[in-house]
Amino acid sequence: MNEEILQYIWNYKKFRNFDFISTDGKTIEVLEFGEWNKNSGPDFLFAKIRIDDMIFVGNIEIHTKASDWVFHNHSGNSEFGNLILHAVYINDCNIPELEQQKIPTLELKNYIDEELIRKHNNLKSEHHFIPCEALFDETKVPLFFEETVLLKKMHSKSLIFSEALTKHQNNYEAILFQNLAYTFGLKVNAELFLQMAEVLDFNIIRKVSQNSVQLEAIFFGMCDFLEDPGDEMMMVWKREFDFLKAKFNLPDIKIHPKFSKLRPPNFPSIRLSQLASLYNSQQNLFSKFIEAKTIDDLYGIFKDVRASEYWDNRFNFGKISSIVGKKYLTPDFIDLIIINTVLPLKYFYHKNHNPDIVDDLFDFYKQMKPEKNSILDEWKNLGIKFENVLQTQAFLYHYKTFCTRKKCLNCAIGFQLLKTDN
Protein backbone atom coordinates (compact mmCIF):
# COMPACT_ATOMS: atom_id res chain seq x y z
CA MET A 1 0.00 0.00 0.00
CA ASN A 2 1.28 3.46 -0.85
CA GLU A 3 -0.02 6.99 -1.04
CA GLU A 4 -0.21 6.94 -4.82
CA ILE A 5 -2.93 4.29 -4.90
CA LEU A 6 -4.75 5.97 -1.99
CA GLN A 7 -4.77 9.29 -3.83
CA TYR A 8 -6.04 7.50 -6.92
CA ILE A 9 -8.85 5.86 -4.94
CA TRP A 10 -9.80 9.16 -3.32
CA ASN A 11 -9.72 11.10 -6.59
CA TYR A 12 -11.87 8.57 -8.46
CA LYS A 13 -14.04 7.77 -5.43
CA LYS A 14 -13.35 4.01 -5.57
CA PHE A 15 -14.94 3.11 -2.22
CA ARG A 16 -17.25 0.29 -1.16
CA ASN A 17 -19.55 2.86 0.41
CA PHE A 18 -19.43 6.47 1.52
CA ASP A 19 -20.74 6.07 5.05
CA PHE A 20 -17.58 7.58 6.45
CA ILE A 21 -17.06 7.64 10.23
CA SER A 22 -14.12 9.49 11.78
CA THR A 23 -11.82 7.79 14.28
CA ASP A 24 -13.63 9.62 17.08
CA GLY A 25 -17.03 8.32 15.91
CA LYS A 26 -18.42 11.30 14.00
CA THR A 27 -20.22 11.01 10.66
CA ILE A 28 -18.30 12.61 7.77
CA GLU A 29 -20.16 13.51 4.61
CA VAL A 30 -17.78 14.36 1.78
CA LEU A 31 -19.53 16.96 -0.34
CA GLU A 32 -16.55 17.66 -2.62
CA PHE A 33 -13.47 15.42 -2.74
CA GLY A 34 -11.25 18.29 -3.89
CA GLU A 35 -8.76 18.81 -6.67
CA TRP A 36 -5.82 16.42 -6.85
CA ASN A 37 -2.65 18.39 -6.12
CA LYS A 38 0.50 16.96 -7.73
CA ASN A 39 2.71 19.70 -6.30
CA SER A 40 3.84 20.40 -2.74
CA GLY A 41 1.25 20.83 0.00
CA PRO A 42 -1.93 18.89 0.80
CA ASP A 43 -2.94 16.14 -1.62
CA PHE A 44 -6.40 17.56 -2.37
CA LEU A 45 -7.37 21.22 -2.46
CA PHE A 46 -10.73 23.03 -2.29
CA ALA A 47 -12.57 20.10 -0.67
CA LYS A 48 -15.79 20.33 1.29
CA ILE A 49 -17.08 18.07 4.09
CA ARG A 50 -20.00 18.12 6.56
CA ILE A 51 -19.67 17.07 10.22
CA ASP A 52 -22.51 17.51 12.73
CA ASP A 53 -24.36 19.92 10.43
CA MET A 54 -21.20 22.03 10.11
CA ILE A 55 -19.66 22.48 6.65
CA PHE A 56 -15.89 22.81 6.37
CA VAL A 57 -14.07 23.99 3.24
CA GLY A 58 -10.35 23.47 2.78
CA ASN A 59 -7.74 20.83 2.03
CA ILE A 60 -7.32 17.12 2.64
CA GLU A 61 -4.09 15.22 3.31
CA ILE A 62 -3.81 11.49 2.62
CA HIS A 63 -1.31 9.10 4.18
CA THR A 64 -0.74 5.37 4.31
CA LYS A 65 -0.34 5.59 8.08
CA ALA A 66 -1.36 8.40 10.41
CA SER A 67 2.22 8.51 11.72
CA ASP A 68 3.37 9.62 8.28
CA TRP A 69 2.20 13.09 9.28
CA VAL A 70 5.20 13.21 11.59
CA PHE A 71 7.65 11.35 9.32
CA HIS A 72 6.83 13.69 6.41
CA ASN A 73 7.52 16.75 8.58
CA HIS A 74 4.08 18.29 8.15
CA SER A 75 3.94 19.58 11.71
CA GLY A 76 4.17 23.36 11.75
CA ASN A 77 4.17 23.56 7.94
CA SER A 78 2.06 26.57 6.92
CA GLU A 79 1.04 24.81 3.67
CA PHE A 80 -1.14 22.54 5.79
CA GLY A 81 -2.75 25.38 7.71
CA ASN A 82 -6.16 25.06 6.04
CA LEU A 83 -6.60 21.30 6.55
CA ILE A 84 -10.10 19.95 7.15
CA LEU A 85 -9.44 16.19 7.05
CA HIS A 86 -6.61 13.69 7.52
CA ALA A 87 -7.49 10.51 5.56
CA VAL A 88 -5.28 7.47 6.24
CA TYR A 89 -5.31 3.82 5.29
CA ILE A 90 -4.36 2.74 8.82
CA ASN A 91 -4.71 4.92 11.90
CA ASP A 92 -1.63 3.68 13.76
CA CYS A 93 -1.40 6.59 16.20
CA ASN A 94 -3.02 9.82 17.30
CA ILE A 95 -1.57 13.14 16.11
CA PRO A 96 -1.84 15.65 19.01
CA GLU A 97 -1.38 18.63 16.68
CA LEU A 98 -4.43 17.61 14.62
CA GLU A 99 -6.47 16.78 17.70
CA GLN A 100 -5.79 20.23 19.14
CA GLN A 101 -6.97 21.84 15.91
CA LYS A 102 -10.04 19.54 15.88
CA ILE A 103 -9.12 18.15 12.46
CA PRO A 104 -10.77 14.72 12.11
CA THR A 105 -9.00 11.58 10.96
CA LEU A 106 -10.71 9.12 8.61
CA GLU A 107 -9.40 5.55 8.45
CA LEU A 108 -10.01 4.25 4.93
CA LYS A 109 -9.06 0.57 5.19
CA ASN A 110 -12.57 -0.79 5.65
CA TYR A 111 -13.96 1.34 2.83
CA ILE A 112 -11.59 0.04 0.14
CA ASP A 113 -12.10 -3.14 -1.86
CA GLU A 114 -9.06 -5.39 -1.40
CA GLU A 115 -9.47 -6.56 -5.02
CA LEU A 116 -8.56 -3.08 -6.18
CA ILE A 117 -5.39 -3.20 -4.09
CA ARG A 118 -4.56 -6.63 -5.53
CA LYS A 119 -4.96 -5.32 -9.07
CA HIS A 120 -2.70 -2.40 -8.31
CA ASN A 121 -0.04 -4.70 -6.85
CA ASN A 122 -0.19 -6.80 -10.02
CA LEU A 123 0.40 -3.67 -12.07
CA LYS A 124 3.61 -3.12 -10.10
CA SER A 125 4.94 -6.61 -10.84
CA GLU A 126 8.57 -6.72 -11.98
CA HIS A 127 8.32 -9.75 -14.22
CA HIS A 128 6.11 -8.80 -17.15
CA PHE A 129 6.41 -7.04 -20.48
CA ILE A 130 4.03 -4.44 -19.07
CA PRO A 131 2.93 -4.16 -15.43
CA CYS A 132 -0.70 -4.97 -16.23
CA GLU A 133 0.08 -8.02 -18.35
CA ALA A 134 -1.75 -10.43 -16.01
CA LEU A 135 -4.84 -8.19 -16.11
CA PHE A 136 -4.62 -6.93 -19.67
CA ASP A 137 -7.76 -7.07 -21.78
CA GLU A 138 -7.56 -5.62 -25.28
CA THR A 139 -11.26 -4.73 -25.14
CA LYS A 140 -10.44 -2.19 -22.39
CA VAL A 141 -8.39 -0.01 -24.72
CA PRO A 142 -10.39 3.26 -24.82
CA LEU A 143 -11.96 4.65 -27.96
CA PHE A 144 -9.57 6.92 -29.90
CA PHE A 145 -6.70 5.76 -27.67
CA GLU A 146 -4.22 5.69 -30.57
CA GLU A 147 -5.08 9.18 -31.79
CA THR A 148 -4.85 10.61 -28.29
CA VAL A 149 -1.46 9.02 -27.58
CA LEU A 150 -0.03 10.01 -30.97
CA LEU A 151 -1.04 13.62 -30.36
CA LYS A 152 0.80 13.50 -27.04
CA LYS A 153 3.91 12.25 -28.80
CA MET A 154 3.74 14.94 -31.48
CA HIS A 155 3.15 17.60 -28.85
CA SER A 156 6.20 16.40 -26.92
CA LYS A 157 8.34 16.55 -30.04
CA SER A 158 6.92 19.98 -30.87
CA LEU A 159 8.37 21.34 -27.65
CA ILE A 160 11.82 20.27 -28.83
CA PHE A 161 11.24 21.77 -32.28
CA SER A 162 10.05 25.02 -30.73
CA GLU A 163 13.19 25.39 -28.65
CA ALA A 164 15.39 24.62 -31.66
CA LEU A 165 13.46 27.04 -33.85
CA THR A 166 14.09 29.88 -31.43
CA LYS A 167 17.77 29.00 -31.31
CA HIS A 168 18.03 29.02 -35.11
CA GLN A 169 15.98 32.18 -35.71
CA ASN A 170 12.91 30.49 -37.22
CA ASN A 171 14.91 28.58 -39.83
CA TYR A 172 12.74 25.51 -40.44
CA GLU A 173 15.16 24.19 -43.08
CA ALA A 174 17.97 24.11 -40.51
CA ILE A 175 15.77 22.26 -38.01
CA LEU A 176 14.81 19.76 -40.70
CA PHE A 177 18.45 19.18 -41.62
CA GLN A 178 19.42 18.48 -38.03
CA ASN A 179 16.56 16.07 -37.47
CA LEU A 180 17.17 14.27 -40.75
CA ALA A 181 20.82 13.87 -39.80
CA TYR A 182 19.76 12.43 -36.46
CA THR A 183 17.46 9.92 -38.15
CA PHE A 184 20.05 8.92 -40.76
CA GLY A 185 22.42 8.14 -37.88
CA LEU A 186 20.08 5.50 -36.46
CA LYS A 187 20.53 4.68 -32.78
CA VAL A 188 24.28 4.11 -32.95
CA ASN A 189 25.27 7.37 -34.65
CA ALA A 190 22.18 9.55 -34.18
CA GLU A 191 23.73 11.87 -31.60
CA LEU A 192 26.99 12.10 -33.53
CA PHE A 193 25.25 12.95 -36.81
CA LEU A 194 23.16 15.52 -34.96
CA GLN A 195 26.31 17.05 -33.49
CA MET A 196 27.74 17.38 -36.99
CA ALA A 197 24.54 19.00 -38.29
CA GLU A 198 24.36 21.44 -35.39
CA VAL A 199 27.87 22.82 -35.89
CA LEU A 200 27.35 23.28 -39.63
CA ASP A 201 25.66 26.49 -40.73
CA PHE A 202 22.77 25.31 -42.90
CA ASN A 203 23.40 28.20 -45.28
CA ILE A 204 26.59 26.38 -46.27
CA ILE A 205 24.63 23.22 -47.04
CA ARG A 206 22.23 25.27 -49.12
CA LYS A 207 25.08 26.91 -51.09
CA VAL A 208 26.80 23.64 -52.03
CA SER A 209 23.69 21.48 -52.33
CA GLN A 210 23.90 21.39 -56.15
CA ASN A 211 27.33 19.78 -55.94
CA SER A 212 27.01 16.25 -54.55
CA VAL A 213 30.78 15.78 -54.31
CA GLN A 214 31.13 18.86 -52.12
CA LEU A 215 28.23 17.80 -49.92
CA GLU A 216 29.83 14.41 -49.34
CA ALA A 217 33.19 16.09 -48.78
CA ILE A 218 31.74 18.27 -45.99
CA PHE A 219 30.01 15.34 -44.28
CA PHE A 220 32.98 12.98 -44.59
CA GLY A 221 35.49 15.67 -43.64
CA MET A 222 33.57 16.71 -40.52
CA CYS A 223 33.51 13.05 -39.52
CA ASP A 224 37.29 12.74 -39.89
CA PHE A 225 37.12 10.11 -42.65
CA LEU A 226 39.48 11.92 -45.03
CA GLU A 227 42.68 12.40 -43.03
CA ASP A 228 44.47 9.51 -44.76
CA PRO A 229 42.96 9.13 -48.27
CA GLY A 230 43.14 5.56 -49.51
CA ASP A 231 42.11 6.05 -53.14
CA GLU A 232 41.57 8.73 -55.78
CA MET A 233 37.98 9.58 -54.83
CA MET A 234 38.96 10.07 -51.22
CA MET A 235 41.67 12.48 -52.34
CA VAL A 236 39.04 14.42 -54.33
CA TRP A 237 36.82 14.64 -51.25
CA LYS A 238 39.74 15.75 -49.09
CA ARG A 239 40.74 18.44 -51.58
CA GLU A 240 37.15 19.73 -51.71
CA PHE A 241 36.81 19.61 -47.94
CA ASP A 242 40.03 21.55 -47.37
CA PHE A 243 38.84 24.18 -49.85
CA LEU A 244 35.37 24.45 -48.29
CA LYS A 245 36.75 24.51 -44.77
CA ALA A 246 38.87 27.52 -45.64
CA LYS A 247 36.17 29.23 -47.70
CA PHE A 248 33.40 28.93 -45.13
CA ASN A 249 35.59 28.84 -42.02
CA LEU A 250 34.15 25.49 -41.01
CA PRO A 251 34.53 24.66 -37.32
CA ASP A 252 37.58 22.62 -36.43
CA ILE A 253 35.55 19.81 -34.89
CA LYS A 254 35.95 16.14 -35.67
CA ILE A 255 33.04 13.74 -35.23
CA HIS A 256 33.88 10.03 -35.10
CA PRO A 257 30.87 7.90 -36.14
CA LYS A 258 30.84 4.24 -35.21
CA PHE A 259 30.73 1.22 -37.53
CA SER A 260 30.45 -1.47 -34.86
CA LYS A 261 27.11 -3.19 -34.23
CA LEU A 262 25.80 -2.01 -37.61
CA ARG A 263 24.95 -3.95 -40.72
CA PRO A 264 26.99 -2.71 -43.73
CA PRO A 265 23.98 -0.95 -45.39
CA ASN A 266 23.71 1.15 -42.23
CA PHE A 267 27.37 2.11 -42.05
CA PRO A 268 27.81 5.87 -41.48
CA SER A 269 29.68 6.10 -44.79
CA ILE A 270 26.59 4.92 -46.69
CA ARG A 271 24.07 6.95 -44.67
CA LEU A 272 26.04 10.19 -45.03
CA SER A 273 26.33 9.70 -48.78
CA GLN A 274 22.56 9.11 -48.98
CA LEU A 275 21.91 12.22 -46.90
CA ALA A 276 24.07 14.20 -49.33
CA SER A 277 22.12 12.69 -52.23
CA LEU A 278 18.82 13.78 -50.67
CA TYR A 279 19.92 17.39 -50.40
CA ASN A 280 21.52 17.31 -53.84
CA SER A 281 18.40 15.97 -55.54
CA GLN A 282 15.79 18.00 -53.65
CA GLN A 283 15.94 21.78 -53.37
CA ASN A 284 13.73 23.51 -50.78
CA LEU A 285 13.20 20.19 -49.05
CA PHE A 286 11.20 21.55 -46.12
CA SER A 287 8.66 23.21 -48.42
CA LYS A 288 8.19 19.96 -50.32
CA PHE A 289 7.47 18.07 -47.13
CA ILE A 290 4.99 20.70 -45.95
CA GLU A 291 3.21 20.87 -49.29
CA ALA A 292 2.88 17.09 -49.66
CA LYS A 293 -0.81 16.17 -49.72
CA THR A 294 -0.52 12.37 -49.60
CA ILE A 295 1.85 9.75 -48.33
CA ASP A 296 2.74 8.96 -51.94
CA ASP A 297 3.91 12.55 -52.36
CA LEU A 298 6.35 11.99 -49.50
CA TYR A 299 7.55 8.66 -50.82
CA GLY A 300 8.19 10.32 -54.20
CA ILE A 301 10.70 12.72 -52.62
CA PHE A 302 12.92 9.81 -51.54
CA LYS A 303 12.55 7.41 -54.48
CA ASP A 304 15.79 8.43 -56.28
CA VAL A 305 17.95 8.94 -53.20
CA ARG A 306 21.00 6.68 -53.26
CA ALA A 307 24.62 6.63 -52.16
CA SER A 308 27.00 7.97 -54.80
CA GLU A 309 28.54 5.71 -57.43
CA TYR A 310 31.71 5.24 -55.37
CA TRP A 311 29.65 3.17 -52.95
CA ASP A 312 28.24 0.77 -55.57
CA ASN A 313 30.99 -1.70 -54.67
CA ARG A 314 31.96 -0.43 -51.20
CA PHE A 315 30.62 -0.08 -47.70
CA ASN A 316 33.70 1.48 -46.15
CA PHE A 317 36.35 3.86 -47.41
CA GLY A 318 38.98 2.37 -49.72
CA LYS A 319 37.73 -1.20 -49.38
CA ILE A 320 36.21 -3.00 -52.37
CA SER A 321 33.28 -5.27 -51.51
CA SER A 322 32.17 -8.42 -53.29
CA ILE A 323 28.59 -7.19 -52.92
CA VAL A 324 27.88 -4.87 -55.84
CA GLY A 325 24.79 -2.73 -56.36
CA LYS A 326 23.33 0.75 -56.12
CA LYS A 327 22.51 1.65 -52.56
CA TYR A 328 19.07 3.28 -52.60
CA LEU A 329 17.12 4.07 -49.47
CA THR A 330 15.05 1.01 -48.60
CA PRO A 331 11.27 1.34 -48.13
CA ASP A 332 11.65 0.55 -44.43
CA PHE A 333 14.27 3.27 -43.96
CA ILE A 334 12.11 5.78 -45.84
CA ASP A 335 9.26 4.91 -43.48
CA LEU A 336 11.61 5.51 -40.55
CA ILE A 337 12.47 8.98 -41.84
CA ILE A 338 8.85 9.91 -42.49
CA ILE A 339 7.67 8.63 -39.10
CA ASN A 340 10.42 10.10 -36.95
CA THR A 341 11.21 13.36 -38.73
CA VAL A 342 8.91 14.40 -41.55
CA LEU A 343 5.46 13.91 -40.01
CA PRO A 344 6.36 15.32 -36.54
CA LEU A 345 7.85 18.42 -38.17
CA LYS A 346 4.89 18.68 -40.54
CA TYR A 347 2.59 18.57 -37.51
CA PHE A 348 4.64 21.22 -35.71
CA TYR A 349 4.55 23.59 -38.67
CA HIS A 350 0.83 23.24 -39.33
CA LYS A 351 0.02 23.50 -35.62
CA ASN A 352 1.61 26.94 -35.69
CA HIS A 353 0.40 28.08 -39.12
CA ASN A 354 -2.68 26.12 -40.10
CA PRO A 355 -4.10 24.16 -37.12
CA ASP A 356 -7.32 23.29 -38.97
CA ILE A 357 -5.55 20.62 -41.02
CA VAL A 358 -3.58 19.00 -38.20
CA ASP A 359 -6.10 16.15 -37.93
CA ASP A 360 -5.50 15.36 -41.59
CA LEU A 361 -2.02 14.20 -40.63
CA PHE A 362 -3.58 11.11 -39.09
CA ASP A 363 -4.31 10.00 -42.64
CA PHE A 364 -0.57 9.91 -43.39
CA TYR A 365 0.00 7.57 -40.47
CA LYS A 366 -2.99 5.42 -41.36
CA GLN A 367 -1.74 4.94 -44.93
CA MET A 368 1.59 3.49 -43.79
CA LYS A 369 2.07 -0.19 -43.08
CA PRO A 370 2.59 -1.12 -39.41
CA GLU A 371 6.11 -1.28 -38.05
CA LYS A 372 7.69 -4.50 -36.82
CA ASN A 373 9.80 -4.94 -33.71
CA SER A 374 9.99 -6.97 -30.51
CA ILE A 375 7.92 -4.52 -28.45
CA LEU A 376 5.08 -4.62 -30.96
CA ASP A 377 5.31 -8.42 -30.98
CA GLU A 378 4.68 -8.37 -27.23
CA TRP A 379 1.61 -6.18 -27.72
CA LYS A 380 0.40 -8.61 -30.37
CA ASN A 381 0.76 -11.45 -27.87
CA LEU A 382 -1.65 -9.56 -25.63
CA GLY A 383 -4.25 -9.42 -28.39
CA ILE A 384 -3.55 -6.02 -29.95
CA LYS A 385 -3.89 -5.98 -33.75
CA PHE A 386 -1.98 -3.45 -35.82
CA GLU A 387 -3.11 -2.30 -39.24
CA ASN A 388 -1.13 0.92 -39.68
CA VAL A 389 1.62 3.15 -38.29
CA LEU A 390 -0.79 5.30 -36.30
CA GLN A 391 -1.48 2.28 -34.10
CA THR A 392 2.11 1.06 -33.82
CA GLN A 393 3.44 4.52 -33.03
CA ALA A 394 0.81 5.01 -30.33
CA PHE A 395 1.55 1.73 -28.57
CA LEU A 396 5.32 2.19 -28.84
CA TYR A 397 5.09 5.66 -27.32
CA HIS A 398 2.67 4.52 -24.64
CA TYR A 399 4.98 1.67 -23.71
CA LYS A 400 7.92 4.07 -23.43
CA THR A 401 6.20 6.83 -21.47
CA PHE A 402 3.78 4.87 -19.28
CA CYS A 403 4.49 1.13 -19.12
CA THR A 404 8.25 1.24 -18.58
CA ARG A 405 7.81 3.96 -15.97
CA LYS A 406 4.92 2.12 -14.29
CA LYS A 407 2.65 5.14 -14.45
CA CYS A 408 -0.33 2.82 -14.20
CA LEU A 409 -2.55 5.20 -12.29
CA ASN A 410 -2.24 7.83 -15.01
CA CYS A 411 -2.76 5.34 -17.84
CA ALA A 412 -6.03 5.31 -19.78
CA ILE A 413 -5.87 1.52 -20.12
CA GLY A 414 -4.83 1.06 -16.50
CA PHE A 415 -7.79 3.18 -15.40
CA GLN A 416 -10.16 0.77 -17.15
CA LEU A 417 -8.41 -2.31 -15.79
CA LEU A 418 -8.50 -1.05 -12.21
CA LYS A 419 -12.25 -0.62 -12.19
CA THR A 420 -13.71 -2.93 -9.59
CA ASP A 421 -16.85 -3.44 -11.68
CA ASN A 422 -14.96 -5.11 -14.59
Side-chain angles (χ1 to χ4, degrees):
M1 175 59 62
N2 58 44
E3 286 186 22
E4 183 184 27
I5 183 62
L6 286 177
Q7 292 170 9
Y8 168 89
I9 291 171
W10 184 269
N11 187 67
Y12 293 105
K13 308 172 182 61
K14 300 291 184 179
F15 297 104
R16 287 175 172 169
N17 61 72
F18 297 88
D19 299 326
F20 297 135
I21 304 295
S22 69
T23 55
D24 60 358
K26 294 182 179 180
T27 298
I28 299 176
E29 183 182 359
V30 181
L31 304 175
E32 295 180 15
F33 282 74
E35 296 179 7
W36 197 349
N37 176 31
K38 302 297 183 68
N39 299 312
S40 64
D43 296 314
F44 289 86
L45 310 176
F46 314 117
K48 183 186 295 186
I49 63 175
R50 189 201 313 269
I51 300 178
D52 293 338
D53 295 326
M54 292 284 293
I55 293 178
F56 300 86
V57 178
N59 306 323
I60 295 173
E61 178 67 2
I62 293 181
H63 285 131
T64 304
K65 297 178 180 179
S67 57
D68 288 338
W69 177 270
V70 178
F71 295 136
H72 293 179
N73 298 314
H74 293 331
S75 296
N77 188 333
S78 60
E79 287 190 304
F80 296 85
N82 192 30
L83 208 68
I84 60 173
L85 179 66
H86 188 210
V88 301
Y89 185 68
I90 296 175
N91 185 44
D92 62 335
C93 70
N94 295 329
I95 306 298
E97 177 183 2
L98 299 182
E99 291 180 340
Q100 292 172 8
Q101 298 176 30
K102 300 187 183 303
I103 297 173
T105 297
L106 171 62
E107 188 175 58
L108 298 173
K109 182 177 181 180
N110 294 329
Y111 298 97
I112 297 174
D113 192 333
E114 291 299 319
E115 177 66 11
L116 179 57
I117 304 300
R118 184 191 68 79
K119 286 185 175 183
H120 176 260
N121 290 336
N122 284 341
L123 290 179
K124 293 296 183 181
S125 170
E126 296 284 348
H127 306 291
H128 298 294
F129 159 61
I130 54 175
C132 66
E133 185 169 329
L135 304 172
F136 191 82
D137 179 353
E138 67 274 15
T139 66
K140 299 299 181 181
V141 177
L143 193 64
F144 301 119
F145 172 79
E146 292 92 347
E147 289 85 349
T148 301
V149 173
L150 186 58
L151 278 175
K152 289 180 180 179
K153 177 178 182 178
M154 291 195 289
H155 175 70
S156 177
K157 201 147 189 176
S158 290
L159 297 178
I160 300 174
F161 289 149
S162 182
E163 183 178 342
L165 197 63
T166 301
K167 179 180 178 181
H168 293 278
Q169 299 177 329
N170 293 326
N171 190 336
Y172 280 93
E173 287 281 6
I175 305 305
L176 172 62
F177 173 61
Q178 292 172 10
N179 282 273
L180 283 173
Y182 182 90
T183 303
F184 270 77
L186 298 171
K187 290 183 178 180
V188 173
N189 289 309
E191 292 295 339
L192 294 173
F193 279 21
L194 176 60
Q195 185 180 353
M196 177 199 72
E198 286 180 334
V199 299
L200 284 172
D201 186 339
F202 183 74
N203 288 325
I204 298 173
I205 304 302
R206 192 194 306 273
K207 289 175 182 177
V208 303
S209 62
Q210 294 184 9
N211 188 323
S212 61
V213 173
Q214 289 189 337
L215 270 177
E216 284 184 297
I218 289 179
F219 295 162
F220 294 153
M222 293 295 294
C223 292
D224 205 21
F225 290 141
L226 306 177
E227 283 302 304
D228 186 20
D231 54 39
E232 183 178 351
M233 190 65 226
M234 290 184 68
M235 288 189 284
V236 172
W237 282 324
K238 178 171 174 51
R239 185 170 62 248
E240 291 292 340
F241 177 67
D242 290 342
F243 166 73
L244 294 169
K245 183 177 181 180
K247 178 180 179 179
F248 294 116
N249 193 27
L250 296 178
D252 191 20
I253 296 176
K254 301 297 183 184
I255 314 297
H256 297 94
K258 303 171 185 177
F259 287 79
S260 61
K261 299 182 180 180
L262 287 172
R263 294 173 56 249
N266 291 326
F267 278 0
S269 49
I270 304 301
R271 292 307 184 197
L272 287 172
S273 181
Q274 291 169 334
L275 181 60
S277 172
L278 175 60
Y279 273 92
N280 174 246
S281 63
Q282 300 290 340
Q283 305 299 311
N284 301 315
L285 190 56
F286 178 78
S287 295
K288 291 185 178 181
F289 286 149
I290 295 302
E291 293 167 2
K293 302 298 183 185
T294 67
I295 194 64
D296 288 336
D297 291 340
L298 292 180
Y299 284 136
I301 294 172
F302 296 99
K303 69 176 182 178
D304 295 325
V305 175
R306 50 164 289 200
S308 62
E309 187 175 344
Y310 175 85
W311 300 104
D312 287 354
N313 60 350
R314 295 175 178 83
F315 289 98
N316 209 336
F317 294 90
K319 299 179 181 178
I320 302 296
S321 170
S322 59
I323 302 174
V324 179
K326 297 177 180 179
K327 295 177 175 60
Y328 287 94
L329 294 180
T330 64
D332 285 344
F333 191 73
I334 294 173
D335 282 349
L336 185 71
I337 298 170
I338 293 174
I339 292 169
N340 291 298
T341 298
V342 178
L343 292 182
L345 195 54
K346 195 174 174 71
Y347 166 83
F348 173 66
Y349 177 83
H350 284 305
K351 179 173 72 72
N352 291 334
H353 295 85
N354 194 1
D356 291 339
I357 68 171
V358 165
D359 289 344
D360 294 341
L361 288 177
F362 285 140
D363 291 336
F364 285 87
Y365 287 94
K366 290 177 181 178
Q367 292 170 39
M368 300 177 70
K369 64 180 181 180
E371 301 151 276
K372 296 179 181 179
N373 60 41
S374 58
I375 295 175
L376 295 173
D377 287 341
E378 293 282 3
W379 281 117
K380 291 177 184 177
N381 291 337
L382 294 177
I384 299 298
K385 295 180 175 60
F386 299 116
E387 298 178 355
N388 53 57
V389 162
L390 186 149
Q391 296 168 317
T392 55
Q393 278 289 290
F395 276 89
L396 286 171
Y397 185 71
H398 189 74
Y399 174 77
K400 176 182 177 182
T401 56
F402 282 85
C403 303
T404 61
R405 301 177 185 179
K406 297 187 177 180
K407 297 173 67 174
C408 308
L409 299 180
N410 301 108
C411 168
I413 300 175
F415 175 77
Q416 297 296 324
L417 295 175
L418 281 171
K419 285 184 175 179
T420 56
D421 55 353
N422 284 345

